[in-house]
Every structure is written in structure tokens, then in C-alpha cells.
Amino acid sequence: MTRNLPTSPARIGEDIEALAAITEPDRPYTRRAFTPTFLKGREWLTARFAAAGLETRIDAAGNLIGRRAGAKPDLGTIMLGSHSDTVPDGGRYDGVAGVSAALEVARALADQGIVLDHDLEIVDFLAEEVSIFGVSCVGSRGMTGQRPDEWLAREAEGLSLKRGIDEAGGHAAATLTRNDIVAFLELHIEQGPVLEAESLDVGVVTAIAGITRIEIVVEGRADHAGTTPMGHRQDALAAASWIVLAVERFARELASGPAHFAATVGEFRMEPNAANVVPAKVTMLIDARAEDRADMDRFLAELETGIQAIAAETGVTVAPLRVISDNMPTPCDPGLLDILDAACGTAGARHRRMASGAGHDTAWLARVTKAAMIFVPCAGGRSHTPEESAKVEDIALGAAVLMEAVRRIDTGEGL
């Protein structure tokens, strides 16, 4: 379908291709935060922001910000953005599409001679992906005063997080207070197959799923694999296999409801891991994600009951569930969701509402201001892989939706 968009697919394509070329040698689309390659990408983005007429700076948290002054700056700031760092061997569009779309909004407004009443800021957040320090969303947490102080002492590859932020142009020791942000919007590739499968242009994100990680330890007994009768074993692996299937069954039941739910046994360690020994111990880590907290509570309760029943059946010992981390779901602002729905209509974007199963910088901005996000399709739902791909025309349409939403927010609609 040919559309007459106010935003430019060509410029967005130039952004994405230029950043894709800034990558680690022999590793496609790799710009991990706190590396020289990431800083080189940042230099290119800074020049690109400036070429769009934006006043650029790096804040104390290490975020690159391009500002377009409004006619009435006392009204506050409308903020758009995402991230330019990547996971290893993936990330040509993940985050980058959102930064480019946000930048394109600023360029398109300038093309049309539109001056907003509010200031407009375009942000490339520092280290949204899990960094070498084992933590994520470093920049958005820092901007909103939610980065734990003890994180700064974390070290990896001869570098502390504090020094890493400072070398990125920030000032980690400073405390940031932003009370001027009236709304935040983020565009992102879906990282899933729904929009493509349903031939839709945009997903209006209702909530960012909470992520809970649970450790389960199964203790059996090591015995000789050839001489121990099958009825006399306490096989930790056999019991653990039942638990994995129980996780799958409980998750599928919850996922059949109206809210997003997913659970994965992503880490699995067996001891002693020898061919001729009955497994004595299994440790597994579950990643569970829920749009509705009640679903997570139900999952944890059913899982605890189920694993104890499995332990009794198999003769092994299973320790009580150990919750390693537990983040609550983050709903997006209802007023902004209505604005995005209306903006999709104006832009001619076929859309639906949907939840995000992945984490995003939006979740941290939503704790201090009105925030929401949109998804655009990605090929095959693939992400975090060199094959990750999206059409620049789809990103440009998403940018047009953002632009229309910004104009509606600027007039105070729905806020």
C-alpha cells in the first residue's frame, strides 16, 4: 500500500544502515554499551541529531538527548526515544528503529515548519540491553532516579559502571531529577509474530509485562546407573523433567486468558552430569512474564503445589521456590493509549492493542510520567539475531503515528 506520509522512509533507512555499519569486526550489528564501538555509534548519532537542528547534550546518566525548543517551554517536555546499544550478534532494528523514528519526528516537524508549544526531546538511552555489568536500562533508570547506587561499583572487563557512565559522557555521581517530562513515547519493533501474522501496521502497547525469575533446586541421590533398579532410584533429572512439563502446562493455561503470559525454563544444570551416574541434583531457572500480576501470583502458587506433589511422587526433595527477581507489570497511560489509537486512525495505520512481553525503557519512564509505546512489525517475529529485520516503510508509518500523537499531546488532548 502506498501512503503519503509526513515522515521519510529514506532518511530512516539511512539512519539504520549507517548504524548497522558501525559494528564489531566479524560480528553483525554488535554495539554493546560501554565499548568503543558503541561510543563510535554515539558520535554518529550526535552528528545526526545536530544535522536535524537539535541541541545535543549527554545527561548525567549517560543518555544522548537532542532538544527542539518549544514556543512555551514552561509547559514542559514531550520526550521520544529508545536505545542504540545491542545484544551480541543482533540488534540492527531493536532500539535503533525507535531512535530513528523519534529523530524522524523532529525532522518532519521541521520540514513542515511546525513549532510545538512544548519542548521536544529525542533520547538515545544508555545500556537498555543487559550490559557487561549484568544490568539493563541503566540510562532510563538513571534519568528517573531509579538506578541503585550500589550498581556504580559493579566491575567487568577492568571497568566499573561508574567509570563506564562517565566515559559515555555522563556524570554518574550526580543525582538527576526530571520533573518536566509531561509524556514519553517509544516506538519499537514487536520482537514477536502477531502484527505480521494479522497483517497489521501498529501495535498500541497496553502494558509491559512484569518479569519474575524463579530458581528451583531438585535434590535426588547419585547411584550407579547400571546396577540401581529403576524402582529404587531418586533421579533428580527425571523429577526435574516433570517440573519442566508442569511449567509449560501452567503457562499455556494462563496464556489462554485475555492477558499476556509466558514462562520459560531457560537455564538448566545437572549434577554430576555423568553418563553412568543417576543424576543427583538439578538447578533450573524459570523466566516468567505476566501482563496481569494476578496471573503471576496464580502461577507461583500452582507451581509450588505442583512441584511438591512431584517430589512426593518421585522421592526427591525440592526446595521451596526461590524468587531471584520480581518486577511488577507496568501499565501504559490510558490517556496516551487513546491518543495513539486516534493517531493510528489519522495516519491510516491498521492497529490493535497488545501487551509487551519484553522489557523496555518505557517501563522506567512510566514510573515518573505518562508513558506509552507502539510496536511495528518485524520479519517472522525474529529479534536478537542477525536475521532481525523490519521494513523502513513500516517504521516510517509508526513515526507518522508518533508525530500525530505528539501534536495531539502538545494541544493537551487527553492529558
Side-chain angles (χ1 to χ4, degrees):
M1 180 185 298
T2 301
R3 293 184 173 93
N4 184 20
L5 297 176
T7 50
S8 168
R11 287 189 299 218
I12 290 171
E14 289 171 7
D15 295 342
I16 292 170
E17 290 302 318
L19 281 170
I22 303 172
T23 183
E24 297 288 344
D26 303 318
R27 301 195 73 181
Y29 322 129
T30 300
R31 282 186 317 282
R32 297 201 75 189
F34 308 110
T35 66
T37 304
F38 170 75
L39 295 177
K40 184 178 179 181
R42 267 287 181 83
E43 289 177 7
W44 186 90
L45 268 178
T46 301
R48 193 71 162 171
F49 279 22
L54 302 178
E55 175 188 327
T56 66
R57 72 182 192 278
I58 295 178
D59 70 8
N63 302 303
L64 172 62
I65 300 174
R67 174 179 171 272
R68 186 174 189 266
K72 301 176 182 178
D74 289 346
L75 291 178
T77 302
I78 300 171
M79 183 177 286
L80 309 175
S82 195
H83 62 97
S84 67
D85 69 310
T86 75
V87 299
D89 302 315
R92 189 179 187 186
Y93 296 86
D94 177 356
V96 173
V99 174
S100 180
L103 176 58
E104 182 57 23
V105 170
R107 292 185 295 223
L109 289 170
D111 288 346
Q112 298 186 25
I114 297 171
V115 178
L116 302 174
D117 285 340
H118 295 76
D119 284 352
L120 178 68
E121 287 189 352
I122 311 305
V123 184
D124 170 32
F125 290 104
L126 178 65
E128 189 271 353
E129 303 288 4
V130 176
S131 65
I132 59 174
F133 302 103
V135 293
S136 60
C137 295
V138 173
S140 52
R141 293 182 201 239
M143 176 185 281
T144 57
Q146 299 174 84
R147 185 194 66 217
D149 290 339
E150 59 269 22
W151 278 17
L152 297 180
R154 285 176 172 255
E155 294 190 357
E157 301 178 12
L159 185 71
S160 70
L161 178 56
K162 178 182 183 301
R163 182 180 165 193
I165 292 171
D166 290 347
E167 289 185 355
H171 182 47
T175 300
L176 261 179
T177 303
R178 291 291 303 262
N179 53 18
D180 62 307
I181 307 169
V182 299
F184 173 78
L185 297 174
E186 178 177 7
L187 177 146
H188 206 280
I189 60 169
E190 181 193 348
Q191 301 179 282
V194 174
L195 294 176
E196 184 181 64
E198 297 183 5
S199 298
L200 296 174
D201 303 308
V202 168
V204 175
V205 178
T206 55
I208 298 168
I211 304 174
T212 302
R213 294 195 170 102
I214 310 115
E215 182 185 75
I216 297 177
V217 179
V218 182
E219 298 271 8
R221 189 180 70 196
D223 282 304
H224 195 291
T227 61
T228 307
M230 297 301 294
H232 290 74
R233 301 181 179 209
Q234 296 175 22
D235 187 329
L237 179 60
S241 300
W242 285 26
I243 294 173
V244 172
L245 293 174
V247 169
E248 175 78 3
R249 179 167 61 83
F250 294 156
R252 284 182 178 274
E253 290 174 359
L254 290 166
S256 67
H260 177 80
F261 190 91
T264 306
V265 180
E267 292 186 19
F268 198 91
R269 300 189 304 277
M270 180 177 68
E271 300 173 28
N273 201 28
N276 60 348
V277 181
V278 175
K281 182 178 180 180
V282 168
T283 303
M284 68 183 79
L285 188 65
I286 300 169
D287 177 300
R289 305 188 181 214
E291 177 186 1
D292 186 340
R293 181 62 193 189
D295 284 345
M296 183 64 74
D297 292 339
R298 179 183 165 195
F299 174 75
L300 293 173
E302 289 187 355
L303 186 59
E304 183 67 63
T305 300
I307 64 174
Q308 295 309 326
I310 291 169
E313 176 74 16
T314 59
V316 301
T317 300
V318 183
L321 298 180
R322 180 178 172 226
V323 176
I324 302 297
S325 61
D326 192 22
N327 293 322
M328 296 296 111
T330 303
C332 292
D333 181 77
L336 288 182
L337 295 181
D338 290 341
I339 287 175
L340 289 169
D341 282 338
C344 285
T346 300
R350 298 159 298 184
H351 71 287
R352 60 165 287 176
R353 290 193 174 189
M354 61 192 304
S356 171
H360 299 283
D361 290 309
T362 298
W364 300 98
L365 272 295
R367 302 185 185 193
V368 299
T369 190
K370 298 177 185 295
M373 65 187 303
I374 64 171
F375 284 157
V376 295
C378 57
R382 303 288 304 283
S383 185
H384 286 188
T385 171
E387 290 74 39
E388 178 182 274
S389 183
K391 297 177 181 177
V392 293
E393 294 81 5
D394 291 341
I395 300 169
L397 178 56
V401 171
L402 286 186
M403 181 176 172
E404 176 63 23
V406 165
R407 295 187 66 176
R408 289 170 180 263
I409 294 166
D410 191 50
T411 63
E413 179 179 326
L415 296 179

